[in-house]
Amino acid sequence: MKNSELIKLIDHLLWADNKIWDCVLSNKSLSEDENIKNTLFHSHMTQDAFYHIWINRDFDIPRNESFEEITAVKKYADQTLKEIKEYSANINEVDLNKEINVPWSKYFEESTGKIPEETTLGDTILQVIMHTTYHRGQINKRIRELDHEPPLVDYIVWLWAGQPKAQSD
């Protein structure tokens, strides 16, 4: 995958995550739902963990319990998304093909007995994008269960809308 394609996907991720946050924070029943809060926390914590791998810095995994209010999760999400945006603006094709060590790949080896194959920076960026999309779908499902209409955050919708920037840009 080319850097320009990943940047485009990251731009979508930033926009779509912000649309989800706008929806959740605009309705009390959504912003007080523990399932939504926990899923948002997990999604952004995973983004943050990978970001720390990319910049080769240690990462202390925050505990969900340390974010009592959903607004604290939002603040954490904003910081993480800002860091990912800034980081992605400076990567190049050579960087994307560099092997990167994912510390929790050892759990794959422990559970399967198979040594993990090489993983590149580009692979892990794509993983973050796909993982976030998966959890965004779970949140949208929960929004529907609570009798609300989730925002349209599909990639194709973003393209049709002219690839708008995230509101925080």
Side-chain angles (χ1 to χ4, degrees), residues 4-168:
S4 59
E5 294 167 330
L6 280 177
I7 295 295
K8 198 171 177 180
L9 291 172
I10 289 170
D11 285 347
H12 170 261
L13 177 144
L14 298 168
W15 172 82
D17 277 6
N18 275 288
K19 296 288 277 185
I20 292 292
W21 273 108
D22 289 347
C23 177
V24 168
L25 293 177
S26 71
N27 187 289
K28 187 174 173 140
S29 68
L30 300 179
S31 64
E32 291 180 349
D33 185 77
E34 282 298 308
N35 182 296
I36 289 174
K37 177 183 169 276
N38 293 341
T39 306
L40 283 165
F41 168 77
H42 170 78
S43 181
H44 294 297
M45 183 274 303
T46 302
Q47 293 169 349
D48 194 25
F50 272 101
Y51 168 74
H52 279 80
I53 291 170
W54 301 337
I55 63 170
N56 199 26
R57 289 212 185 113
D58 289 338
F59 177 69
D60 292 324
I61 297 174
R63 299 186 50 80
N64 191 4
E65 300 79 37
S66 64
F67 296 87
E68 290 182 29
E69 300 293 324
I70 197 162
T71 53
V73 177
K74 172 68 164 116
K75 185 176 178 182
Y76 177 55
D78 287 345
Q79 181 62 36
T80 299
L81 294 172
K82 178 182 178 225
E83 291 168 344
I84 288 172
K85 179 179 173 49
E86 290 170 359
Y87 176 79
S88 65
N90 297 308
I91 55 178
N92 59 49
E93 305 293 327
V94 173
D95 294 334
L96 291 175
N97 292 309
K98 287 183 181 173
E99 185 175 355
I100 194 163
N101 176 41
V102 179
W104 50 89
S105 66
K106 65 185 175 191
Y107 301 118
F108 170 81
E109 185 174 357
E110 289 171 3
S111 68
T112 65
K114 182 176 179 345
I115 295 173
E117 295 290 328
E118 177 183 302
T119 307
T120 66
L121 173 63
D123 293 330
T124 61
I125 292 171
L126 190 56
Q127 168 60 25
V128 167
I129 292 163
M130 294 172 73
H131 181 263
T132 302
T133 300
Y134 172 78
H135 288 302
R136 231 184 276 119
Q138 290 179 320
I139 294 165
N140 276 350
K141 181 178 184 284
R142 182 67 180 147
I143 290 170
R144 281 189 189 95
E145 289 170 353
L146 296 171
D147 293 323
H148 296 281
E149 189 64 31
L152 290 174
V153 292
D154 288 358
Y155 182 74
I156 195 75
V157 170
W158 177 73
L159 291 173
W160 291 338
Q163 300 175 33
K165 297 291 183 190
Q167 289 180 346
S168 61

